[in-house]
Amino acid sequence: MSLQDEINIRRTFGIISHPDAGKTTLTEKLLLFGGAIQSAGAVKNNKIKKTATSDFMEIEKQRGISVATSVMAFNYRNKQINILDTPGHKDFAEDTYRTLTAVDSVILVIDCANGVEAQTERLMEVCRMRNTPVIVFINKMDREGRDAFDLLDELEEKLSIKVRPMSWPIGIGATFKGVYNMHRGNLNLFSGNKTQIEKDVVAIEDINDTVLGETIGESFAETLREEVELVDGVYETFDRESYLSGEVAPVYFGSALNNFGVQELLDSFVEISPTPQGRLSDKGFVEPEDNKFSGFVFKIHANIDPKHRDRIAFLRIVSGQFKRNTFYKNIRLDKKVKFANPTSFMASSKAVIDEAYPGDVIGLYDTGTFKIGDTLTTGEEFMYKGIPSFSPEIFKEVQNDDPMKTKQLEKGLQQLTDEGVAQLFIKQPGNRKIIGTVGELQFEVIQYRLKHEYGASCSFMHKPHHKACWMTSDNQDKIDEFVKRKHNNIAYDKDGNPVFLADSPFLLSQAEGDYPEITFHTTSDFKLD
Ligand code: G4P
């Protein structure tokens, strides 16, 4: 197959949701359709349990297991589909944000009773930053939930995206009869039978056809006709281009648990979702068709076995063909590297691959040289942009509890933060180390791993910071002046950029008022603007 053919058959996406909306269940049903797993429960067992908040060892173990399901590839209707798993646990939100840089589209799962929730909004903000195309799946229609029009209004309002329902629910909860697919003109009837593979589909050529009333009852048929008319009046006709540019999200209704609406979703997904897209580098946009290989590392996973210090770096291929045992250049290190055992992730089994193409995610074993954001090329000097760092929400200063192991502590902190477990900021004087995270859990993970993998001991002292802000200005002197004046609240990030550690929203807006020439960013991704 030509490179173009390889690109055309691939679809790489992520499923995102607020915890409990049904992401794991939907992932599993999609894999069942793709024949990638044989039974329900296979993905669920790898899920980080919600109750495990204090049991970080258990979480690390599960994270270890979940390497296998970090990327799940399967074939469906002649397409090779790669699902990138995004941890639902909020303490691992950073992982999710980074994974979103490696997908070309997302499916957003919404619980019909809860609508848009906190984590939904944050994840969608990240998608909006790069105009990632979004398909919405409103789940749990077998349960009592909110009015469909209300849900759509809320999606538009809170997620700043236009929506276009593609199917329309008939009843909800106890009265849920199924969905009418406006796009295809058919009725998909709900039986509540979890094993149903959606064969109960009735073709409805015209919504005024009497067959509608005969199938779902006159009163439901009447409501459906009215609502569909309203939908067609309010929402613009679906236009694939507007979906691909991230402006409009097509919406489907269903019940993942009951395997209802899932095939319909998957069929539309393969029909409309984007093929692997290029990415922006510091030397311009790179198209997937460019026949020189390139890719970037968006995730690093440590082997949890302390006897083997090796790690797996997840590389998203952007352009060209990747080949095993071929020298590629790690641009940051200015060093040629080759890989004897690159792996692909076909569902739960890992296999060594000889080649891979744009859209694919491969696992590269490494002993600690990769950093998140690293770019590999055949020799061209450019770096991919846009693996953002988001401002942490919890800040703690590291205290070295075993001065004999200072070197180990330094190395461990460096490697763990390179892996993206947390962010490291250095404060002067004295090279003090501030760790920033989005969840408490990471501190336990860091402490545990420093002890077991590096033999170093540390404790943490809470710092009262509210946000870390990166700064830009047309006038560098103003930044220098600000850094000098606020030196007590200035630290330096991994790239040596000064960061303002604002102690409260009030102090941040005060700084913004005092220094109108400076823009304060809560993500390091501002270079994309
Ligand atoms: P998540 O990955 O987004 O966190 O959600 P997950 O799939 O784990 O689903 C959360 C809960 O919602 C699960 O129940 C799951 O069975 C249920 N669920 C998912 N889809 C549907 C649906 O379409 N209808 C209904 N009624 N429930 C649904 P749980 O009790 O938390 O877990 P479990 O005991 O079933 O494993």
Side-chain angles (χ1 to χ4, degrees):
M1 267 207 287
S2 69
L3 177 61
Q4 189 64 59
D5 290 340
E6 297 284 358
I7 294 169
N8 289 347
I9 61 167
R10 281 169 169 76
R11 301 287 183 279
T12 300
F13 78 108
I15 304 183
I16 55 174
S17 77
H18 187 86
D20 263 0
K23 180 175 74 71
T24 314
T25 313
L26 179 64
T27 306
E28 202 160 85
K29 300 294 155 131
L30 292 174
L31 293 177
L32 278 170
F33 275 112
I37 52 169
Q38 305 311 323
S39 65
V43 178
K44 192 106 198 159
N45 295 342
N46 284 335
K47 187 177 164 182
I48 293 175
K49 303 253 180 345
K50 300 152 225 160
T51 47
T53 40
S54 59
D55 192 354
F56 63 90
M57 249 319 278
E58 190 51 33
I59 287 202
E60 271 304 278
K61 244 197 293 178
Q62 292 191 32
R63 260 160 69 83
I65 299 164
S66 72
V67 169
T69 54
S70 292
V71 185
M72 292 159 281
F74 66 95
N75 294 311
Y76 184 76
R77 287 182 28 196
N78 301 325
K79 298 281 185 296
Q80 183 186 317
I81 300 174
N82 300 312
I83 306 185
L84 271 52
D85 190 32
T86 54
H89 199 294
K90 81 165 185 12
D91 285 7
F92 294 107
E94 277 278 333
D95 265 10
T96 300
Y97 301 155
R98 282 190 294 257
T99 299
L100 290 178
T101 64
V103 303
D104 300 303
S105 71
V106 301
I107 292 180
L108 168 65
V109 185
I110 300 277
D111 179 327
C112 71
N114 298 338
V116 173
E117 298 175 81
Q119 192 64 4
T120 328
E121 283 189 60
R122 300 187 55 179
L123 290 166
M124 273 296 287
E125 253 171 54
V126 180
C127 294
R128 309 280 307 140
M129 282 167 70
R130 30 178 61 71
N131 299 323
T132 309
V134 182
I135 297 180
V136 178
F137 183 72
I138 300 190
N139 190 30
K140 305 198 188 181
M141 293 302 290
D142 60 317
R143 286 227 197 127
E144 296 309 320
R146 291 176 31 200
D147 174 70
F149 284 107
D150 278 359
L151 284 169
L152 296 178
D153 283 351
E154 188 180 63
L155 285 169
E156 290 202 328
E157 221 167 86
K158 291 200 176 159
L159 305 180
S160 341
I161 191 163
K162 284 204 233 154
V163 297
R164 166 71 218 195
M166 306 297 273
S167 67
W168 196 253
I170 305 161
I172 191 165
T175 64
F176 185 52
K177 296 256 176 265
V179 294
Y180 171 63
N181 188 321
M182 299 182 270
H183 201 50
R184 295 182 209 277
N186 61 30
L187 263 189
N188 190 359
L189 297 172
F190 178 65
S191 69
N193 173 359
K194 288 182 197 173
T195 55
Q196 135 179 4
I197 303 281
E198 299 183 27
K199 291 192 190 93
D200 221 353
V201 176
V202 182
I204 303 279
E205 308 233 311
D206 176 351
I207 196 163
N208 292 314
D209 198 326
T210 51
V211 89
L212 188 68
E214 287 158 18
T215 318
I216 56 171
E218 279 311 328
S219 120
F220 280 107
E222 209 34 58
T223 313
L224 179 67
R225 287 189 189 107
E226 280 167 26
E227 290 184 343
V228 167
E229 195 185 328
L230 196 56
V231 167
D232 286 336
V234 173
Y235 299 99
E236 279 168 34
T237 320
F238 176 70
D239 160 40
R240 183 165 179 240
E241 286 312 310
S242 315
Y243 154 70
L244 290 177
S245 59
E247 285 159 56
V248 175
V251 180
Y252 291 85
F253 294 83
S255 166
L257 186 64
N258 291 288
N259 213 350
F260 186 81
V262 177
Q263 184 163 22
E264 186 181 33
L265 176 73
L266 186 56
D267 284 341
S268 304
F269 172 81
V270 291
E271 203 177 300
I272 64 173
S273 65
T275 51
Q277 302 292 295
R279 290 289 186 279
L280 191 60
S281 82
D282 56 2
K283 300 273 163 61
F285 198 80
V286 180
E287 298 288 353
E289 291 81 11
D290 186 336
N291 55 24
K292 295 193 196 85
F293 158 78
S294 68
F296 64 90
V297 172
F298 64 93
K299 176 180 172 122
I300 294 176
H301 203 295
N303 192 326
I304 53 166
D305 180 353
K307 285 187 226 90
H308 300 100
R309 186 67 72 70
D310 59 346
R311 314 186 297 175
I312 303 178
F314 289 73
L315 181 100
R316 150 86 196 213
I317 296 170
V318 179
S319 66
Q321 181 194 36
F322 171 91
K323 287 197 195 124
R324 185 158 83 97
N325 273 329
T326 303
F327 276 105
Y328 294 119
K329 188 166 180 183
N330 181 328
I331 300 298
R332 179 180 56 86
L333 298 174
D334 192 19
K335 198 174 144 194
K336 293 228 159 184
V337 277
K338 69 174 177 176
F339 303 92
N341 297 308
T343 53
S344 76
F345 303 86
M346 281 301 275
S348 52
S349 68
K350 278 187 279 168
V352 172
I353 45 123
D354 289 319
E355 54 193 38
Y357 296 91
D360 284 343
V361 170
I362 54 173
L364 302 175
Y365 287 93
D366 124 279
T367 46
T369 46
F370 273 129
K371 261 192 192 193
I372 299 241
D374 274 354
T375 299
L376 288 185
T377 74
T378 53
E380 292 71 18
E381 295 288 333
F382 65 78
M383 289 283 283
Y384 281 108
K385 284 185 155 192
I387 298 273
S389 294
F390 291 83
S391 172
E393 281 156 32
I394 305 172
F395 297 85
K396 295 187 185 188
E397 185 170 334
V398 180
Q399 317 245 306
N400 185 356
D401 289 347
D402 184 354
M404 302 292 286
K405 297 281 169 64
T406 303
K407 271 220 168 88
Q408 285 85 338
L409 180 74
E410 302 255 339
K411 182 169 177 203
L413 279 175
Q414 194 60 51
Q415 289 202 341
L416 294 183
T417 49
D418 284 353
E419 261 178 46
V421 175
Q423 289 180 56
L424 179 64
F425 300 97
I426 304 290
K427 227 174 140 180
Q428 300 301 352
N431 269 333
R432 283 172 291 153
K433 295 176 181 57
I434 312 272
I435 299 277
T437 69
V438 285
E440 282 290 345
L441 207 58
Q442 269 81 350
F443 292 100
E444 291 179 52
V445 171
I446 291 170
Q447 227 167 13
Y448 180 90
R449 289 189 53 191
L450 282 173
K451 180 119 204 108
H452 288 83
E453 294 171 34
Y454 300 89
S457 296
C458 75
S459 46
F460 296 106
M461 195 169 73
H462 182 75
K463 302 299 276 182
H465 308 309
H466 153 72
K467 282 262 150 62
C469 301
W470 285 266
M471 294 169 277
T472 51
S473 174
D474 291 337
N475 185 349
Q476 182 60 35
D477 291 348
K478 282 286 167 193
I479 296 186
D480 295 345
E481 182 190 318
F482 183 82
V483 165
K484 215 162 158 189
R485 204 175 123 197
K486 298 276 181 190
H487 69 273
N488 277 335
N489 283 70
I490 297 290
Y492 292 84
D493 75 0
K494 61 178 173 18
D495 302 318
N497 299 312
V499 170
F500 174 46
L501 301 173
D503 287 344
S504 68
F506 172 75
L507 288 170
L508 175 56
S509 60
Q510 195 179 46
E512 284 169 333
D514 290 350
Y515 285 83
E517 306 86 351
I518 301 179
T519 315
F520 295 86
H521 309 264
T522 52
T523 95
S524 68
D525 207 17
F526 49 83
K527 294 176 202 112
L528 270 182
D529 294 350

